[in-house]
Amino acid sequence: MLAEAVDGLDVRPDGVYVDVTFGGGGHSRAIMERLGPEGHLVAFDQDEDAAKRVESGEWKAGGEARFTFIGENFRYLKSYLRLHGVRRIDGLLADLGVSSHQFDVAERGFSTRFEGELDLRMDRRGTTTARDIVNSADDAELARILRLYGELPNARQMAKAIVKARSEREIATTTDLREAVSRHLPRGMENKYLAMLFQALRIEVNGELEALREMLVQAAEVLQPGGRLAVISYHSLEDRLVKNFMRSGNFEGVVEKDFYGNPLTPMRQVLSTAATPAEVAANSRARSARLRVAEKLETKNQ
């Protein structure tokens, strides 16, 4: 969805754009290719591995003056833009979820394919890991996390299984967690249920949905009228927040109206699309991806 997302931004050569999920730099590179000498890109990523790629790669080596990297969570979007003298932007792109690099590094604990520390922190400066949660939360709290963030139909049974397993020995690795819940993985759907379990813990560890809410509100504030917001989400919880916000300006999806019955919305959605079969064939992680693009509307106080 790289091309569709960048196309959706309708990049102006002299515009100011933000990529709040730098990752491996693919989207940032595509945006930069469309910027002229007067354009500028600001990229955010809280993962220290992304910062290392910036420091050692083409971004620094090329002395790219049109590029600024901020190694922080995108929930601080507005503050860090102001710190760098940016008040208004022409477009923002967010590719949510876990990057391929994070999935492929065993010690990060993001993938069920590898034996690794049960970590799941996107920002390793954070103090709480998935290991802390599965070994300290009671069964009711674990069930809430698994049901709310993983949408697991057997969340209560899994939570009880985790509590039972940890009473015998600490759940320290991804393998320990898989073994703890193995009896509750439906035959033929083991990988799907494990992915839902790890998703739930990852969202809890990183506060992902709250960070997304904060970023979307700030994005609407800093976008110029006519500016574009492009978001790629990978599960229904994220997509619901994005869809509702683009539709109504709030996360309930309720469109408010003025005295005359005119809708009071900060944006209008201009694109909604899913990954193509070809994209899914090339990258199975894209199978649940949904791209939404919205344009900031002009308001009377702007």
Side-chain angles (χ1 to χ4, degrees):
M1 287 187 156
L2 186 151
E4 293 90 338
V6 177
D7 285 345
L9 288 178
D10 193 23
V11 177
R12 291 176 30 228
D14 62 345
V16 177
Y17 294 86
V18 179
D19 177 357
V20 294
T21 48
F22 179 80
H27 287 103
S28 286
R29 190 174 297 108
I31 294 170
M32 292 290 291
E33 289 172 354
R34 303 187 188 197
L35 290 178
E38 302 304 316
H40 199 88
L41 175 67
V42 181
F44 283 73
D45 205 303
Q46 62 186 329
D47 191 327
E48 64 183 25
D49 289 340
K52 289 176 182 177
R53 283 193 289 278
V54 171
E55 285 299 309
S56 62
E58 64 192 80
W59 306 95
K60 181 178 180 181
E64 182 54 78
R66 301 174 303 161
F67 176 75
T68 300
F69 179 80
I70 298 171
E72 295 291 343
N73 191 303
F74 58 45
R75 73 193 311 162
Y76 306 119
L77 172 70
K78 196 171 179 179
S79 295
Y80 276 95
L81 287 180
R82 286 185 172 179
L83 185 63
H84 287 79
V86 178
R87 297 283 178 169
R88 290 286 187 175
I89 64 174
D90 298 288
L92 182 148
L93 186 147
D95 186 1
L96 305 176
V98 183
S99 72
S100 295
H101 174 77
Q102 290 168 326
F103 268 125
D104 293 338
V105 177
E107 59 265 29
R108 302 295 297 274
F110 285 101
S111 176
T112 61
R113 293 179 293 137
F114 307 118
E115 165 79 16
E117 180 78 18
L118 194 57
D119 191 319
L120 296 178
R121 288 173 299 169
M122 289 185 170
D123 182 347
R124 282 183 278 192
R125 294 169 296 186
T127 57
T128 301
T129 68
R131 179 175 179 172
D132 297 327
I133 292 170
V134 299
N135 287 289
S136 63
D138 61 30
D139 58 351
E141 176 63 6
L142 281 172
R144 182 194 69 82
I145 292 168
L146 302 189
R147 182 173 55 253
L148 181 61
Y149 298 145
E151 300 182 297
L152 281 156
N154 60 349
R156 185 177 297 278
Q157 291 90 337
M158 276 201 177
K160 289 184 180 297
I162 290 170
V163 171
K164 182 177 184 300
R166 80 188 191 201
S167 70
E168 300 171 4
R169 65 183 177 91
E170 184 185 21
I171 299 173
T173 69
T174 54
T175 299
D176 292 341
L177 183 58
R178 287 200 306 270
E179 291 175 351
V181 300
S182 60
R183 293 180 57 189
H184 301 284
L185 303 174
R187 187 178 298 276
M189 301 182 70
E190 294 91 345
N191 290 337
K192 179 178 180 180
Y193 271 60
L194 281 172
M196 295 161 73
L197 169 61
F198 275 65
Q199 171 186 296
L201 292 172
R202 192 196 78 226
I203 290 173
E204 176 69 14
V205 166
N206 296 289
E208 291 178 32
L209 297 185
E210 184 56 36
L212 176 59
R213 290 186 188 95
E214 293 178 23
M215 184 274 288
L216 290 172
V217 170
Q218 293 173 59
E221 293 172 352
V222 297
L223 275 169
Q224 301 270 20
R228 295 285 183 92
L229 170 66
V231 183
I232 303 172
S233 58
Y234 292 87
H235 56 77
S236 60
L237 299 173
E238 292 172 337
D239 185 54
R240 190 176 305 123
L241 291 177
V242 174
K243 178 178 67 175
N244 285 347
F245 188 76
M246 288 183 174
R247 176 176 181 266
S248 64
N250 59 61
F251 300 108
E252 293 73 41
V254 178
V255 178
E256 298 179 0
K257 297 182 179 181
D258 64 16
F259 179 79
Y260 301 101
N262 301 308
L264 298 171
T265 57
M267 297 185 168
R268 67 177 183 92
Q269 184 169 287
V270 297
L271 176 67
S272 173
T273 185
T276 66
E279 288 171 324
V280 174
N283 178 10
S284 62
R285 294 171 186 163
R287 64 184 176 273
S288 59
R290 164 71 63 177
L291 167 65
R292 295 184 187 275
V293 180
E295 184 173 285
K296 175 74 175 289
L297 297 174
E298 184 85 47
T299 60
K300 293 180 179 179
N301 60 354
Q302 289 176 327

